[in-house]
Structures are given as C-alpha cells and as structure tokens.
Amino acid sequence: MKNKSAPIGVFDSGVGGLTVAREIMRQLPNEKVVYFGDTARVPYGNKSKETVTRYSRQIVRFLLSQEVKTIVIACNTASAYALDEIEKEVDIPVIGVVKPGAAVAVQATSNGKIGVIATEGTIGSKIYSKYINEIDPSASVVGKACPLFVPLVEEGLWQDPVTDEIAKRYLTELIDIGIDTLILGCTHYPLIRSTLGRIMGEGVTLVNPAYETARELKGLLEKEDLLNSQAAKLGDNKYRFYVSDAAEKFKGFANSIIKYGILSAKTIKIEEY
Ligand code: DGL
C-alpha cells in the first residue's frame, strides 16, 4: 500500500538545495520533508560525472532508508549527471530541477534566445540545451559557467559590490547576445536574484527552476495518488535536515533561507550508504 504520509526526500551538494526545499514547503504545506546536504563534499559543480553519480547514489540509499515516498534532486549538477541513472535504479518517483526549468524558459522567451548560468559541470553537460531543444528546436541556448557565485553566496555576500562586479563580468556576454530569458541553473543563484536582475535589466526574465520543480512535484504526487491527505504539523518531525559535515554552520545558513526555525541538523556518515 502507498504510504502517503511518508516524507519527500530532497538532496543537494550542500545548502543551495534549500531554495528548492523552501519552494516545496510553500507549495506543498501538508508534506513532510527529509533534506540531505552533502556539506562535506560540496561543491559538485567542478567534479566529474562519475564522482557526482557515486555521491548521488549514496544519498539516494540514505533517503530510501528514511522511507521517503519520492526523491527530488535539488541540485542542478546532480540532476544533469545522475538523474537518468537514478531513475532507472529506484522504484519510487525521482525528479530533478533541470527539466522543469527548461520548460518554463521555453514558455518565457519571445525572441528564442535563452541564457543559462550554472556550474561548470551543468554547463559542460549541455543538459539545458538538450531539454530546451527537445521542446523547441529553434531556440538558441547560450551557457555561461559562473563558478564564483557559489562561494559568494555561501559567504553571505548576496548584496555586495564584489558580487556586482563579478556578475557584470559573467553576464556581459549574455547581455551582448541579446537573450531575453535567463535560467538560474544553480541552486545558489536565486539568493542573488536581485543583483542578477538589476544587471540583466528589466527586459530579461529570470527563471528560477525551484518554483517549477515544486509545481511538477505536486502534479506527480497527485498523479501517483501520493499527496499527504493529513496535514503534517510543524514539530512532528515535519522537516528533518541531515548533512555530511558542519551541522551547526548549515543550521545557521538554513535558518536564513527557511523561516520555520530549523532547530537541528544531524551529521551522518554518508560514505557508509
Ligand atoms: N547545488 C549545485 C548546483 O545546483 C551548486 C553547488 C555545487 O557546485 O555543488 O549545481
């Protein structure tokens, strides 16, 4: 029998996936969430496909041990590299953040010129172009790796002249090409959305895949008859957070993103899964 009251498993390389978890909590307030952030092994963005897939498999085994009913890969790099394999290996629904983001971008663009900013891994995989061109073969997709954004966000420099300066350097070529839609293809980037929006200008639509991922998740749970029919109460272990290192630091960061008051984050030995 389906366990509708089981939690949704969400994972990321670290704190970035909290922007996706936050959206899931907002759009699916009845649901329980188990979040895993791989804080010991972050970043994934500059690692190989083999390594990111191995890490992702370990995390999936951990989440399955928590009896989750579905898994959201809340990391663009892990979605790009590992989603196809993981989908084949587990018998619960698994979704990533790339496909939903690509679909919204195609709807948003008027001139067919879409920019993607993400980690080196996601850009190198060309996964966004693949999904976008499956929907609209005439769309042109320009990718730009922005590796410095992740440490800037993690250092809390969300509104800072340094972030402005680096963003200008990264984004100038996308502005010059005349894109009208920009996908924030890394989980950290929504946290510097206002900086990115200001630099790109009003004519450019920013797409945050987190929103569409949560919407797709809701549709999937409805279709599979997995929506939690009873509202899980806050405090009832509704939201549980696990990390592979530095739980206190994670907790501080998580509380600046998720406003429910995260009381604890537990460190686990992810290599044992
Ligand atoms: N979460 C990663 C992503 O969305 C960014 C951080 C990292 O490189 O691990 O691609």
Side-chain angles (χ1 to χ4, degrees), residues 12-13 42-45 75-77 119 150 186-188:
D12 177 49
S13 56
V42 67
Y44 283 7
C75 171
N76 287 264
T77 312
T119 63
V150 167
C186 170
T187 48
H188 286 62

PDB file of all heavy atoms in Angstrom, residues 12-13 42-45 75-77 119 150 186-188, ligand 1:
ATOM      1  N   ASP A  12      20.898  17.838  -2.042  1.00  0.00           N
ATOM      2  CA  ASP A  12      21.749  18.789  -2.769  1.00  0.00           C
ATOM      3  C   ASP A  12      23.186  18.579  -2.301  1.00  0.00           C
ATOM      4  O   ASP A  12      23.435  17.908  -1.296  1.00  0.00           O
ATOM      5  CB  ASP A  12      21.301  20.229  -2.451  1.00  0.00           C
ATOM      6  CG  ASP A  12      22.197  21.270  -3.111  1.00  0.00           C
ATOM      7  OD1 ASP A  12      22.453  21.148  -4.323  1.00  0.00           O
ATOM      8  OD2 ASP A  12      22.668  22.194  -2.426  1.00  0.00           O
ATOM      9  N   SER A  13      24.100  19.226  -3.005  1.00  0.00           N
ATOM     10  CA  SER A  13      25.511  19.152  -2.601  1.00  0.00           C
ATOM     11  C   SER A  13      25.749  19.901  -1.287  1.00  0.00           C
ATOM     12  O   SER A  13      26.794  19.746  -0.674  1.00  0.00           O
ATOM     13  CB  SER A  13      26.381  19.746  -3.704  1.00  0.00           C
ATOM     14  OG  SER A  13      25.954  21.065  -3.991  1.00  0.00           O
ATOM     15  N   VAL A  42      30.773  19.180  -0.911  1.00  0.00           N
ATOM     16  CA  VAL A  42      30.446  20.295  -1.779  1.00  0.00           C
ATOM     17  C   VAL A  42      31.778  20.957  -2.208  1.00  0.00           C
ATOM     18  O   VAL A  42      32.725  20.956  -1.413  1.00  0.00           O
ATOM     19  CB  VAL A  42      29.525  21.308  -1.026  1.00  0.00           C
ATOM     20  CG1 VAL A  42      30.235  22.010   0.126  1.00  0.00           C
ATOM     21  CG2 VAL A  42      28.875  22.295  -1.962  1.00  0.00           C
ATOM     22  N   PRO A  43      31.958  21.520  -3.388  1.00  0.00           N
ATOM     23  CA  PRO A  43      30.983  21.630  -4.467  1.00  0.00           C
ATOM     24  C   PRO A  43      30.977  20.400  -5.390  1.00  0.00           C
ATOM     25  O   PRO A  43      31.973  19.693  -5.492  1.00  0.00           O
ATOM     26  CB  PRO A  43      31.499  22.849  -5.238  1.00  0.00           C
ATOM     27  CG  PRO A  43      32.985  22.786  -5.078  1.00  0.00           C
ATOM     28  CD  PRO A  43      33.205  22.237  -3.688  1.00  0.00           C
ATOM     29  N   TYR A  44      29.839  20.184  -6.029  1.00  0.00           N
ATOM     30  CA  TYR A  44      29.732  19.144  -7.046  1.00  0.00           C
ATOM     31  C   TYR A  44      30.062  19.728  -8.429  1.00  0.00           C
ATOM     32  O   TYR A  44      30.375  19.015  -9.356  1.00  0.00           O
ATOM     33  CB  TYR A  44      28.304  18.598  -7.116  1.00  0.00           C
ATOM     34  CG  TYR A  44      27.899  17.635  -6.016  1.00  0.00           C
ATOM     35  CD1 TYR A  44      28.729  17.381  -4.920  1.00  0.00           C
ATOM     36  CD2 TYR A  44      26.673  16.963  -6.093  1.00  0.00           C
ATOM     37  CE1 TYR A  44      28.323  16.496  -3.922  1.00  0.00           C
ATOM     38  CE2 TYR A  44      26.278  16.079  -5.113  1.00  0.00           C
ATOM     39  CZ  TYR A  44      27.096  15.843  -4.025  1.00  0.00           C
ATOM     40  OH  TYR A  44      26.691  14.969  -3.047  1.00  0.00           O
ATOM     41  N   GLY A  45      29.922  21.064  -8.527  1.00  0.00           N
ATOM     42  CA  GLY A  45      29.968  21.730  -9.829  1.00  0.00           C
ATOM     43  C   GLY A  45      31.254  21.569 -10.607  1.00  0.00           C
ATOM     44  O   GLY A  45      31.275  21.731 -11.814  1.00  0.00           O
ATOM     45  N   CYS A  75      19.633  19.747  -6.997  1.00  0.00           N
ATOM     46  CA  CYS A  75      20.963  20.240  -7.361  1.00  0.00           C
ATOM     47  C   CYS A  75      21.040  20.110  -8.878  1.00  0.00           C
ATOM     48  O   CYS A  75      20.780  19.024  -9.418  1.00  0.00           O
ATOM     49  CB  CYS A  75      22.018  19.357  -6.687  1.00  0.00           C
ATOM     50  SG  CYS A  75      23.712  19.673  -7.233  1.00  0.00           S
ATOM     51  N   ASN A  76      21.363  21.197  -9.535  1.00  0.00           N
ATOM     52  CA  ASN A  76      21.415  21.152 -10.996  1.00  0.00           C
ATOM     53  C   ASN A  76      22.497  20.202 -11.493  1.00  0.00           C
ATOM     54  O   ASN A  76      22.283  19.442 -12.436  1.00  0.00           O
ATOM     55  CB  ASN A  76      21.683  22.554 -11.555  1.00  0.00           C
ATOM     56  CG  ASN A  76      20.474  23.454 -11.433  1.00  0.00           C
ATOM     57  OD1 ASN A  76      19.703  23.600 -12.359  1.00  0.00           O
ATOM     58  ND2 ASN A  76      20.284  24.046 -10.270  1.00  0.00           N
ATOM     59  N   THR A  77      23.667  20.247 -10.848  1.00  0.00           N
ATOM     60  CA  THR A  77      24.778  19.421 -11.315  1.00  0.00           C
ATOM     61  C   THR A  77      24.424  17.935 -11.161  1.00  0.00           C
ATOM     62  O   THR A  77      24.617  17.142 -12.094  1.00  0.00           O
ATOM     63  CB  THR A  77      26.067  19.756 -10.526  1.00  0.00           C
ATOM     64  OG1 THR A  77      26.217  21.172 -10.493  1.00  0.00           O
ATOM     65  CG2 THR A  77      27.271  19.118 -11.158  1.00  0.00           C
ATOM     66  N   THR A 119      26.892  25.872 -12.851  1.00  0.00           N
ATOM     67  CA  THR A 119      28.260  25.425 -12.545  1.00  0.00           C
ATOM     68  C   THR A 119      28.935  24.935 -13.838  1.00  0.00           C
ATOM     69  O   THR A 119      28.263  24.707 -14.851  1.00  0.00           O
ATOM     70  CB  THR A 119      28.240  24.243 -11.550  1.00  0.00           C
ATOM     71  OG1 THR A 119      27.568  23.135 -12.176  1.00  0.00           O
ATOM     72  CG2 THR A 119      27.541  24.605 -10.254  1.00  0.00           C
ATOM     73  N   VAL A 150      28.919  30.593  -6.255  1.00  0.00           N
ATOM     74  CA  VAL A 150      28.623  29.704  -5.115  1.00  0.00           C
ATOM     75  C   VAL A 150      29.353  30.166  -3.848  1.00  0.00           C
ATOM     76  O   VAL A 150      28.713  30.396  -2.809  1.00  0.00           O
ATOM     77  CB  VAL A 150      28.902  28.214  -5.462  1.00  0.00           C
ATOM     78  CG1 VAL A 150      28.895  27.351  -4.206  1.00  0.00           C
ATOM     79  CG2 VAL A 150      27.862  27.709  -6.457  1.00  0.00           C
ATOM     80  N   CYS A 186      21.600  27.054 -11.130  1.00  0.00           N
ATOM     81  CA  CYS A 186      22.355  26.569  -9.968  1.00  0.00           C
ATOM     82  C   CYS A 186      21.530  26.981  -8.756  1.00  0.00           C
ATOM     83  O   CYS A 186      21.023  28.113  -8.693  1.00  0.00           O
ATOM     84  CB  CYS A 186      23.731  27.205  -9.938  1.00  0.00           C
ATOM     85  SG  CYS A 186      24.624  26.904  -8.406  1.00  0.00           S
ATOM     86  N   THR A 187      21.423  26.056  -7.811  1.00  0.00           N
ATOM     87  CA  THR A 187      20.518  26.272  -6.681  1.00  0.00           C
ATOM     88  C   THR A 187      20.854  27.505  -5.841  1.00  0.00           C
ATOM     89  O   THR A 187      19.996  28.041  -5.159  1.00  0.00           O
ATOM     90  CB  THR A 187      20.560  25.046  -5.767  1.00  0.00           C
ATOM     91  OG1 THR A 187      21.936  24.736  -5.532  1.00  0.00           O
ATOM     92  CG2 THR A 187      19.859  23.878  -6.395  1.00  0.00           C
ATOM     93  N   HIS A 188      22.114  27.949  -5.875  1.00  0.00           N
ATOM     94  CA  HIS A 188      22.501  29.119  -5.076  1.00  0.00           C
ATOM     95  C   HIS A 188      22.028  30.435  -5.685  1.00  0.00           C
ATOM     96  O   HIS A 188      21.874  31.427  -4.977  1.00  0.00           O
ATOM     97  CB  HIS A 188      24.026  29.218  -4.951  1.00  0.00           C
ATOM     98  CG  HIS A 188      24.641  28.220  -4.030  1.00  0.00           C
ATOM     99  ND1 HIS A 188      24.572  26.867  -4.231  1.00  0.00           N
ATOM    100  CD2 HIS A 188      25.356  28.391  -2.885  1.00  0.00           C
ATOM    101  CE1 HIS A 188      25.222  26.249  -3.260  1.00  0.00           C
ATOM    102  NE2 HIS A 188      25.703  27.148  -2.436  1.00  0.00           N
TER     103      HIS A 188
HETATM  104  N1  DGL B   1      23.973  22.759  -5.924  1.00  0.00           N
HETATM  105  C1  DGL B   1      24.875  22.957  -7.025  1.00  0.00           C
HETATM  106  C2  DGL B   1      24.069  23.104  -8.319  1.00  0.00           C
HETATM  107  O1  DGL B   1      22.905  23.457  -8.318  1.00  0.00           O
HETATM  108  C3  DGL B   1      25.772  24.162  -6.825  1.00  0.00           C
HETATM  109  C4  DGL B   1      26.842  23.983  -5.799  1.00  0.00           C
HETATM  110  C5  DGL B   1      27.872  22.972  -6.174  1.00  0.00           C
HETATM  111  O2  DGL B   1      28.717  23.187  -7.074  1.00  0.00           O
HETATM  112  O3  DGL B   1      27.843  21.907  -5.568  1.00  0.00           O
HETATM  113  O4  DGL B   1      24.605  22.850  -9.371  1.00  0.00           O
END
